[in-house]
Amino acid sequence: MAECGFLPMCNDDPARFRKGSKKEVILVALGLAAKKAIVKEINEVASNALSVAVAEYRGMEVADMTQLRRQAREQGVYLKVIRNTLAKRAFADTKFGDMDAALVGPLVYGFSLDAPGSAARLFKDFAKQNKHLKVTALSIGNGLMGADKLEAVASLPTRDEALAKLLATFKAPVSKFVRTINEVPTKFVRVLSAIKDAK
């Protein structure tokens, strides 16, 4: 469908798309102005994103996609289904420009805006309950990574976790320094006491 020049727009009302019911897909042709607006929007998001995860959603129900979008909002992940040709244009002058080769098939794009592992974690957790969502590529801005790196990217710390680790790193040398300084007078007193006892 992505190759025909149309963008599939689905009614997001889950009640209309129960299992076994007929699914309705409305094809809407995109004009040049709409395409430019999408490219501009995705370019701005990609420029500010810490990472991007790309997953194929072929076979997913509309209700499942609605649930994925809801979880993305809750976790601070910008989620978008767009044509791959538009995504390639949007990524062109960003740190994700090297993803072109991986942008094939019906894809959903997840952009991590607060923590680098957010989108990967979202897709990893969602794929456990929905076999149709398959991560195909990831990037944290320094090269294209395959789906085999999903676990590593998903386990990247959140902003709060990273700050806590950084604080602990700074705190350890300071604590050691304070202990050392406190030990100097104690050792000095012991030396003086030993000298006094020797007399």
Side-chain angles (χ1 to χ4, degrees), residues 15-143:
R16 293 193 57 194
F17 299 102
R18 290 193 177 89
K19 287 196 177 209
S21 68
K22 185 178 176 185
K23 293 177 184 60
E24 178 183 335
V25 175
I26 304 164
L27 295 178
V28 179
L30 291 176
L32 184 59
K35 289 178 183 176
K36 284 182 178 178
I38 290 170
V39 168
K40 183 180 177 198
E41 176 188 346
I42 298 304
N43 181 270
E44 287 174 7
V45 171
S47 297
N48 295 313
L50 300 171
S51 69
V52 65
V54 181
E56 189 172 301
Y57 64 92
R58 191 187 317 268
M60 273 181 66
E61 302 282 329
V62 174
D64 295 331
M65 186 61 82
T66 302
Q67 184 183 356
L68 179 62
R69 286 187 173 120
R70 187 180 314 113
Q71 289 178 11
R73 278 191 299 274
E74 291 167 1
Q75 296 177 31
V77 174
Y78 180 91
L79 197 71
K80 193 80 169 174
V81 175
I82 57 170
R83 287 181 51 194
N84 298 329
T85 52
L86 299 180
K88 288 175 185 177
R89 287 186 199 143
F91 288 170
D93 59 345
T94 70
K95 58 188 167 192
F96 306 120
D98 54 0
M99 293 193 72
D100 283 12
L103 306 184
V104 179
L107 300 176
V108 58
Y109 296 80
F111 296 91
S112 300
L113 303 175
D114 297 324
S118 304
R121 201 165 23 255
L122 170 72
F123 285 169
K124 177 186 151 208
D125 293 344
F126 195 83
K128 288 177 185 173
Q129 57 191 339
N130 193 307
K131 62 179 183 175
H132 296 296
L133 187 73
K134 294 180 178 106
V135 174
T136 58
L138 304 149
S139 178
I140 53 174
N142 61 348

